[in-house]
């Protein structure tokens, strides 16, 4: 009897720990937003398999007389533990044990011990009560993180106040904002000490942490990428940073499932202009201007690129001419993609605004290094690889396909399609693929049906498990093939 009690207790702990691991993994994917995890998850059936059904069976086991209920509980815990292990192994974006996650599990274990101790002292079955530490840990952890964030906000604000001469440039847009940020950094470093938010750090909390941990006091220009999933996300960044300059790249139907319509996306991106010390805003020339935008703000808008001509974009690089202050200047770069002429023009205009000489800008543009996973050209194992894994919009993906079409050998594309976009956009992408590639490897299930039904000529391979991708490429590719990795999506999408 005592042995059965110990086994039951271990089974309960294992079950609740697995629930905590599953929940925290999903929260980390969706920026710790319960709303997004519950209502905007890309694979909601996972919640049924790995949360709802296990919890129902777990609760039900305590209403079944012993020893049958005990055996069900033990069997459930073993099966659930094994299923979570298999699920986790297949993930390409596993739980990252950041300080926040570690703190959550410490709080969780403290509450589990308290719960077991109280139940033992009061001679109460801890079964159903073992679910409560998960709830308490979530609430306490969230309160603690909020208190901590408020402290970090104060510290970051004090740091920016001390750096009174710091020039802040905010960058946003639906497409190309990371590229614009990196182009700005590589051009402006010709004259200034530059620091730009790393990788794709673009949320309010991420920016606060970046300021406290990484922004050096000797920095002269801070370039900040601002991203959003909901209206108001960029406004809070703008109000905090009060950038001197704003750059708004191309705005389109990206993350439409969050914003519902294009008007909401446009209004959100233009929240960057809410800075009280804004001098100029460089805005992509084809972006609609929100109707309610203040007249004073509209006068600060400078469209880009005003005039471009003689664009040559192929697999060797990009050349173009840009009109600056009524004069034409030639630029060339190793960066691939016709659309990058637009992104580069924003950085060039900003360089001119901040006093760089044209010849210095031309030299900087010429030696700009391609941004990782954005039309990176790599030659390996007698194959030409174009890594465009971080490019997830229709325009950019079609440009990568156009560049691939210039290659004379066999061509293979690896893509999940367009994530967080429309059915029509994926149909257009499928048709573009069908006209160029010999083999299309479709990864994931999200857009597999749409792409497969509209790719007719090209040989199709649907790969649900990306772990098999390397073996698949080895078996279907040949020397001198071109392989385009077009967009990427983690397995939870």
């Amino acid at each position: 009897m005592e042995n059965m009690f110990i086994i039951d207790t271990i089974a309960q702990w294992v079950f609740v720990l697995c629930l905590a691991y599953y929940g925290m993994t999903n929260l980390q994917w969706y920026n710790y937003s319960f709303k997004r995890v519950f209502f905007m998850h890309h694979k909601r059936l996972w919640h049924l398999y790995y949360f709802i059904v296990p919890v129902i069976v777990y609760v039900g086991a305590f209403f079944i007389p012993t020893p049958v209920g005990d055996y069900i509980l033990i069997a459930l815990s073993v099966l659930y533990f094994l299923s979570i292990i298999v699920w986790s192994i297949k993930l390409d974006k596993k739980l990252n044990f950041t300080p926040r996650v570690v703190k959550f599990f410490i709080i969780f274990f403290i509450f589990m011990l308290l719960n077991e101790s109280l139940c033992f002292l009061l001679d109460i079955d801890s079964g159903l009560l073992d679910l409560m530490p998960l709830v308490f840990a979530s609430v306490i952890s969230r309160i603690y993180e909020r208190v901590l964030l408020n402290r970090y906000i104060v510290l970051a604000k004090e740091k920016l106040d001390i750096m009174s001469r710091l020039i802040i440039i905010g960058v946003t847009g639906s497409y190309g904002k990371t590229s614009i940020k990196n182009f700005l950094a590589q051009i402006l470093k010709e004259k200034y000490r530059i620091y730009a938010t790393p990788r794709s750090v673009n949320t309010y909390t991420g920016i606060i942490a970046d300021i406290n941990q990484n922004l050096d006091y000797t920095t002269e220009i801070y370039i900040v990428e601002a991203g959003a999933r909901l209206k108001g996300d960029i406004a809070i960044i703008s109000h905090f940073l009060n950038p001197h300059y704003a750059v708004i790249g191309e705005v389109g139907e990206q993350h439409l499932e969050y914003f519902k319509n294009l008007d909401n996306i446009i209004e959100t991106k233009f929240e960057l202009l809410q800075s009280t010390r804004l001098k100029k805003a460089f805005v992509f020339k084809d972006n609609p201007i929100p109707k309610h935008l203040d007249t004073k703000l509209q006068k600060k808008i400078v469209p880009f690129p005003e005039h471009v001509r003689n664009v040559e974009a192929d697999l060797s690089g990009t050349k173009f001419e840009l009109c600056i202050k009524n004069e034409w200047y030639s630029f060339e770069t190793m960066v691939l993609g016709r659309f990058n002429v637009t992104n580069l023009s924003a950085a060039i205009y900003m360089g001119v605004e901040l006093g760089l000489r044209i010849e210095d800008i031309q030299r900087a543009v010429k030696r700009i290094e391609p941004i990782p996973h954005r039309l990176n050209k790599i030659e390996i194992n007698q194959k030409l690889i174009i890594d465009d894994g971080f490019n997830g919009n229709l325009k950019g993906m079609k440009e990568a396909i156009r560049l691939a079409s210039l290659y004379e050998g066999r061509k293979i594309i690896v893509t999940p399609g367009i994530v967080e976009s429309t059915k029509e956009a994926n149909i257009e992408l499928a048709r573009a693929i069908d006209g160029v590639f010999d083999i299309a490897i479709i990864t994931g299930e999200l857009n597999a049906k749409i792409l497969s039904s509209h790719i007719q000529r090209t040989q199709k391979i649907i790969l649900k498990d990306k772990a098999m991708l390397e073996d698949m490429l080895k078996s279907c590719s040949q020397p001198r093939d071109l392989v385009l990795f077009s967009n990427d999506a983690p397995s939870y999408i």
Side-chain angles (χ1 to χ4, degrees):
M1 194 74 178
E2 185 177 339
N3 288 340
M4 181 60 75
F5 173 77
I6 294 171
I7 294 171
D8 274 355
T9 303
I10 293 172
Q12 290 163 205
W13 273 64
V14 168
F15 179 83
V16 180
L17 180 61
C18 288
L19 274 182
Y21 182 86
Y22 173 76
M24 185 52 66
T25 303
N26 281 269
L27 283 168
Q28 192 173 76
W29 289 338
Y30 289 91
N31 200 30
Y32 301 98
S33 168
F34 284 96
K35 179 180 178 181
R36 288 176 63 193
V37 169
F38 290 136
F39 302 110
M40 300 176 183
H41 203 287
H42 292 83
K43 290 192 174 181
R44 293 179 191 174
L45 279 177
W46 280 3
H47 294 340
L48 180 66
Y49 302 147
Y50 299 111
F51 189 83
I52 296 173
V53 170
V55 168
I56 290 173
V57 176
Y58 179 84
V59 172
F62 290 98
F63 292 94
I64 298 173
T66 56
V68 176
D70 293 333
Y71 293 143
I72 290 174
L73 176 63
I74 294 166
L76 170 67
S77 296
V78 171
L79 289 173
Y80 189 44
F81 176 71
L82 293 174
S83 66
I84 288 294
I85 288 177
V86 172
W87 171 77
S88 178
I89 289 171
K90 289 184 176 180
L91 296 175
D92 54 3
K93 192 172 183 181
K94 296 176 173 57
L95 179 63
N96 181 14
F97 281 85
T98 62
R100 178 171 186 163
V101 173
V102 171
K103 278 180 275 191
F104 166 80
F105 279 106
I106 289 172
I107 296 170
F108 167 73
F109 278 117
I110 289 171
F111 275 106
M112 282 294 288
L113 289 169
L114 285 173
N115 180 64
E116 289 295 336
S117 300
L118 285 171
C119 289
F120 178 77
L121 290 172
L122 298 173
D123 195 22
I124 299 172
D125 185 358
S126 66
L128 293 178
L129 293 175
D130 274 343
L131 294 174
M132 295 310 295
L134 190 59
V135 177
F136 291 145
S138 299
V139 173
I140 298 299
S141 177
R142 201 167 185 83
I143 293 171
Y144 177 79
E145 290 299 329
R146 174 55 60 182
V147 172
L148 209 60
L149 176 61
N150 289 337
R151 175 58 182 158
Y152 287 154
I153 290 170
V154 172
L155 291 174
K157 190 65 179 173
E158 289 175 351
K159 189 171 186 178
L160 292 179
D161 289 342
I162 292 170
M163 301 171 69
S164 57
R165 294 185 180 180
L166 179 70
I167 296 172
I168 299 176
I169 302 173
V171 181
T172 192
S174 299
Y175 322 122
K177 55 184 177 289
T178 302
S179 294
I180 292 173
K181 175 189 69 178
N182 283 281
F183 296 157
L184 276 168
Q186 294 189 59
I187 288 173
L188 295 179
K189 72 179 182 181
E190 292 290 314
K191 184 177 179 179
Y192 299 97
R193 285 190 291 272
I194 303 298
Y195 178 71
T197 48
R199 301 176 301 280
S200 291
V201 171
N202 59 19
T203 63
Y204 179 54
T205 54
I207 292 165
I208 294 296
D210 185 52
I211 292 169
N212 286 320
Q213 296 169 13
N214 305 314
L215 183 62
D216 192 275
Y217 283 100
T218 63
T219 303
E220 295 175 300
I221 296 180
Y222 183 31
I223 305 167
V224 184
E225 180 180 335
R229 283 291 189 274
L230 299 168
K231 288 184 72 174
D233 283 356
I234 292 179
I236 193 171
I237 294 171
S238 184
H239 292 156
F240 178 78
L241 291 174
N242 273 323
H244 301 82
Y245 295 95
V247 181
I248 301 179
E250 185 173 354
V251 177
E253 295 180 334
Q254 195 78 343
H255 307 309
L256 197 61
E257 62 182 275
Y258 297 120
F259 289 102
K260 306 306 180 186
N261 58 62
L262 184 58
D263 287 341
N264 287 337
I265 296 173
I266 293 166
E267 289 180 12
T268 301
K269 301 304 180 185
F270 275 82
E271 289 172 358
L272 191 60
L273 275 58
Q274 294 181 12
S275 168
T276 57
R277 57 184 181 187
L278 186 72
K279 295 179 179 179
K280 279 187 181 179
F282 294 88
V283 177
F284 178 61
K285 65 178 181 179
D286 294 336
N287 285 343
I289 306 297
K291 296 176 182 178
H292 66 273
L293 196 66
D294 186 85
T295 306
K296 290 182 180 179
L297 284 179
Q298 291 187 35
K299 291 179 179 178
K300 294 180 180 180
I301 292 176
V302 177
F304 72 87
E306 284 189 285
H307 302 290
V308 178
R309 70 185 185 190
N310 298 331
V311 178
E312 297 177 25
D314 55 31
L315 289 170
S316 64
T318 308
K319 297 179 181 178
F320 60 97
E321 292 181 28
L322 184 66
C323 185
I324 303 171
K325 296 181 178 179
N326 299 319
E327 289 192 40
W328 289 94
Y329 297 92
S330 298
F331 296 89
E332 58 179 292
T333 179
M334 296 181 291
V335 175
L336 302 182
R338 188 184 297 270
F339 61 86
N340 270 320
V341 172
T342 296
N343 297 332
L344 282 164
S345 71
I348 291 167
Y349 286 165
M350 182 61 74
V352 173
E353 172 69 20
L354 293 175
L356 272 72
R357 298 182 305 170
I358 295 295
E359 53 266 36
D360 291 335
I361 296 174
Q362 288 172 317
R363 185 171 58 252
V365 170
K366 191 170 184 177
R367 62 179 182 229
I368 280 178
E369 296 178 5
I371 299 162
H373 310 300
R374 288 175 172 85
L375 281 178
N376 267 21
K377 187 174 67 173
I378 308 163
E379 293 187 31
I380 187 170
N381 296 331
Q382 295 182 290
K383 298 181 182 72
L384 178 62
I385 309 295
I386 299 180
D387 180 1
D388 202 30
F390 284 4
N391 190 358
N393 65 85
L394 177 61
K395 184 177 179 180
M397 292 171 79
K398 286 182 70 176
E399 174 61 9
I401 292 170
R402 184 193 70 80
L403 287 171
S405 72
L406 303 176
Y407 188 73
E408 293 183 358
R410 281 201 336 154
K411 293 172 277 289
I412 300 171
I413 185 171
V414 180
T415 184
I418 310 174
V419 179
E420 298 176 349
S421 190
T422 62
K423 177 182 177 182
E424 291 73 21
N426 275 293
I427 291 172
E428 189 174 342
L429 177 69
R431 289 170 178 163
I433 291 171
D434 207 30
V436 172
F437 292 91
D438 300 283
I439 300 173
I441 300 176
I442 302 168
T443 57
E445 302 176 58
L446 184 65
N447 296 310
K449 287 185 179 179
I450 296 174
L451 294 177
S452 181
S453 61
H454 290 88
I455 296 175
Q456 305 295 329
R457 183 193 65 82
T458 301
Q459 179 187 344
K460 294 166 288 191
I461 299 172
I462 297 175
L463 207 61
K464 292 183 179 180
D465 187 356
K466 286 199 299 182
M468 300 169 60
L469 179 58
E470 186 176 347
D471 291 335
M472 180 60 68
L473 281 171
K474 285 179 181 178
S475 65
C476 70
S477 64
Q478 302 171 5
R480 292 180 293 280
D481 280 356
L482 178 146
V483 181
L484 169 63
F485 291 91
S486 182
N487 199 8
D488 190 19
S491 49
Y492 68 88
I493 291 179

